Amino acid sequence: MSSVLFFIAATGVIAGAIGVVTLRSPFYSVLALVGHLISLAVLFLLLRAEFVAAIQVVVYAGAVMVLYVFVVAYVGDSGEPMGARLHGPGPLGSGLRKGGAVLAGCLLTELLIALLGTGLKAVSGYGAGYAPGPRTFGTAAYIGELLLTRFLLAFEVASMLLLIAAVGGVVLAARAGRPLAIGERRAGPGEPGEEVGAPLDLPRPPGTGTMAETVGGRS
Amino acid sequence: MSMGLPAVVGYYEPWWIQIIKAIVIFAVGLQLVPLVLIAERKLLGRFQARYGPNRVGPYGFLQPLADILKLLTKEQFRPTTSVGLLYALAPIISILTAVAAFGLIPFGDTQDIFGTKVGLYGVDLSIGPLYLFAFGAIAFYGIMLGGWSSGSKYSFLGAMRGAAQLISYEVSQGLALVGVVISAQTLSLTGIVHAQAGMWYVVPQLAGFLIFLVAGFAETNRAPFDLTEADAELVGGYNTEYGGGRFASYYFAEYLNVVVVSGIVATVFLGGWLLPFGLHPPGWVDPLVVLAKMSLVTFLFIWVRATLPRLRYDQLMSFGWKVLLPLATVNALVTAILVVATH
């Protein structure tokens, strides 16, 4: 039973991952990623890590991917199929191809080191044994205890990093300036009112920003 | 309280009991939805000083049956601008996640039925509320894909509103439950019910209860947060382009979600199958107690819908982020401090 489930989930994981990089429309790529993440959660369940599986779905499929879907559906297709620059001629295309090959090689080496180092031992095993009880392997209590004792430093560093990222996001969003009203446009280069030194102040079509902007600048 | 033991029972049940339970749970859910439907239409009628449906069957009680038969016998059509596969898939996701969440609600403790130990719940997980939020997260794709794949502006706007609303209120809902989980010191839903033997959590966790209820209104897209399907502005929201059986699926999922949220409120805050004043009825009364508490919460849902006007979109957002979320955070924080201090 568990091996059947494993092969179904593993197929889903690999198909989803391939779909992310090969599908032409960004929307379908995001959906493939959602399928990939949910299949991954099933694999976690088979490893008796039910807490990690639930968190995987809640955080990745439920929060991160929701935002991706939201943005992709809102901004829409750019018209240019993804990967057009990669297959394109000229120095840009060849550079992207070379860089991609190098990065993929690095990732492959790293994964092989991890896999050969630990994974091969697990092939002949059956994972963690199932033990009943409130504080056994895989439960929330077990993971919480580990996070606050053995991995306390890593846990605190990760939370600080997230905090910094959140503050940074707010700062960057605030620098983008006042939202435009419908029909208004930003001042061009050299015109009065142009904001100098705002590299993230990218031009964007009106109505693609916040909801408040869409309803007429009311917030 | 015997911690952990109730959470484990589900693993040892024979496979045939689990199959029977799955069928029974789906059948019960299938019966509850028309009941909620007719209750809502009758009560809305009374709230608005009219009769409500009273033509089909005695007192109009067969009205939902007629509605569902009408929807199911309609032609299956789809707009030419829609995306075929996703258009068909979206209502299935909605209904699947609603039924999956329903399986979690405990209708009673483990019972001795003909010498076999059976838990009166679909499954009692050691990650109870997290499982619920996981399926709530997937339910989002039902609405989003439905609105997007319809290829219509109104559907898309409704789905977008639903997306933003779900993200905003899911956080407060989760944080409201954190207080209860800290107090009960278990994530198992039957464990949470057992922990309420002395006092239901609605009393010590009153703030959490109110936050969860308000966020529940928003999560199920009910008034006053029903902007997703605001019929005055969006025709019908994400399900504008749906008809027939697929529309019936969305409808079913929506009302089943109301039942699920009522069940969770009854379990987590109103003591599940426990009765006050030291009453200990025999085991077969437990499901009736849970159903009675659930119908009370559902009545509140309908009452609020009849009473409150729909919020404006920016009011919805600022209420969720600036009022509900800080309140839920403070609630979780204070509960944690109190639990640590009293231990």
Side-chain angles (χ1 to χ4, degrees):
Chain A
M1 182 65 193
S2 59
S3 37
V4 174
L5 265 180
F6 171 79
F7 279 109
I8 295 174
T11 316
V13 168
I14 295 171
I18 293 175
V20 174
V21 287
T22 52
L23 286 173
R24 289 190 170 271
S25 156
F27 195 81
Y28 288 120
S29 285
V30 171
L31 288 186
L33 191 50
V34 174
H36 168 81
L37 291 169
I38 292 175
S39 312
L40 214 56
V42 176
L43 286 186
F44 281 134
L45 270 186
L46 287 175
L47 292 171
R48 304 212 165 84
E50 52 218 31
F51 179 75
V52 181
I55 290 299
Q56 165 91 6
V57 175
V58 170
V59 173
Y60 285 100
V64 177
M65 295 323 290
V66 163
L67 230 68
Y68 276 41
V69 171
F70 198 77
V71 169
V72 169
Y74 221 142
V75 177
D77 241 328
S78 56
E80 177 191 23
M82 292 205 306
R85 269 182 295 180
L86 187 66
H87 299 296
L92 181 67
S94 71
L96 278 176
R97 279 193 289 272
K98 275 178 200 153
V102 169
L103 284 179
C106 289
L107 192 64
L108 182 69
T109 319
E110 194 187 352
L111 282 178
L112 279 180
I113 290 170
L115 205 66
L116 294 175
T118 61
L120 287 183
K121 264 184 285 178
V123 169
S124 54
Y126 285 94
Y130 175 69
R135 280 176 204 282
T136 47
F137 180 84
T139 58
Y142 182 81
I143 290 171
E145 207 174 309
L146 277 184
L147 280 182
L148 291 179
T149 52
R150 197 169 144 199
F151 300 111
L152 181 63
L153 185 69
F155 179 66
E156 290 298 330
V157 169
S159 54
M160 272 314 281
L161 209 63
L162 280 175
L163 188 66
I164 293 169
V167 172
V170 171
V171 169
L172 288 178
R175 269 175 64 178
R178 178 183 62 89
L180 290 177
I182 290 173
E184 196 184 352
R185 66 180 188 89
R186 293 218 187 275
E191 284 178 48
E194 189 214 352
E195 292 165 46
V196 186
L200 282 155
D201 195 10
L202 299 169
R204 54 188 164 89
T208 55
T210 60
M211 274 289 175
E213 189 180 329
T214 318
V215 296
R218 193 172 48 198
S219 56
Chain B
M1 193 197 91
S2 62
M3 238 176 62
L5 190 65
V8 181
V9 170
Y11 288 98
Y12 296 131
E13 279 172 351
W15 58 272
W16 54 272
I17 288 189
Q18 298 196 350
I19 291 178
I20 292 174
K21 282 208 296 195
I23 294 170
V24 168
I25 284 167
F26 189 72
V28 169
L30 209 62
Q31 303 312 312
L32 283 178
V33 168
L35 282 175
V36 175
L37 263 172
I38 188 69
E40 167 155 47
R41 293 189 61 184
K42 284 293 237 189
L43 284 170
L44 274 184
R46 295 293 165 174
F47 277 121
Q48 295 159 356
R50 56 187 172 84
Y51 287 115
N54 63 353
R55 282 289 169 267
V56 191
Y59 303 103
F61 278 126
L62 293 181
Q63 184 68 42
L65 196 68
D67 287 349
I68 290 167
L69 277 180
K70 184 192 87 172
L71 282 173
L72 290 184
T73 49
K74 272 185 164 181
E75 185 194 1
Q76 292 277 359
F77 67 93
R78 71 182 183 86
T80 46
T81 49
S82 67
V83 182
L85 179 66
L86 292 181
Y87 183 79
L89 189 68
I92 300 177
I93 297 177
S94 272
I95 209 164
L96 186 97
T97 52
V99 175
F102 187 69
L104 198 66
I105 296 170
F107 282 94
D109 209 350
T110 316
Q111 305 290 345
D112 216 336
I113 300 177
F114 303 123
T116 319
K117 282 223 174 279
V118 179
L120 295 185
Y121 37 76
V123 52
D124 184 19
L125 298 164
S126 59
I127 48 164
L130 288 170
Y131 168 95
L132 207 71
F133 287 117
F135 275 99
I138 300 174
F140 154 82
Y141 292 101
I143 290 181
M144 183 68 210
L145 293 183
W148 186 80
S149 64
S150 293
S152 143
K153 284 194 183 67
Y154 289 124
S155 304
F156 183 63
L157 282 174
M160 277 314 199
R161 286 180 171 190
Q165 186 174 325
L166 275 177
I167 310 173
S168 311
Y169 281 83
E170 203 176 22
V171 187
S172 316
Q173 206 181 15
L175 274 173
L177 274 189
V178 166
V180 169
V181 171
I182 291 175
S183 308
Q185 299 187 4
T186 174
L187 277 167
S188 144
L189 283 184
T190 52
I192 289 175
V193 173
H194 280 296
Q196 298 179 71
M199 183 191 283
W200 297 354
Y201 280 137
V202 65
V203 182
Q205 286 288 325
L206 184 64
F209 169 71
L210 292 175
I211 295 164
F212 188 86
L213 208 59
V214 172
F217 291 149
E219 287 280 302
T220 49
N221 297 323
R222 297 277 306 181
F225 304 110
D226 56 346
L227 292 109
T228 312
E229 43 199 279
D231 36 7
E233 334 162 9
L234 287 179
V235 187
Y238 61 92
N239 54 24
T240 302
E241 304 293 342
Y242 280 90
R246 286 169 183 159
F247 177 75
S249 305
Y250 268 134
Y251 216 56
F252 180 88
E254 194 184 322
Y255 279 88
L256 193 58
N257 276 328
V258 172
V259 173
V260 168
V261 171
S262 307
I264 296 300
V265 169
T267 304
V268 172
F269 292 104
L270 300 181
W273 62 82
L274 301 175
L275 281 173
F277 313 120
L279 287 174
H280 287 293
W284 57 268
V285 184
D286 289 356
L288 300 179
V289 174
V290 176
L291 280 176
K293 288 177 181 175
M294 278 167 73
S295 42
L296 275 181
V297 183
T298 309
F299 178 72
L300 188 67
F301 265 84
I302 298 165
W303 192 357
V304 165
R305 176 175 173 185
T307 310
L308 292 178
R310 184 177 301 136
L311 288 179
R312 218 173 52 215
Y313 190 82
D314 55 325
Q315 292 171 330
L316 172 95
M317 279 296 141
S318 55
F319 180 71
W321 288 109
K322 294 178 186 165
V323 180
L324 223 49
L325 186 59
L327 270 181
T329 315
V330 168
N331 180 51
L333 214 62
V334 169
T335 312
I337 292 170
L338 284 181
V339 167
V340 170
T342 51
H343 254 274

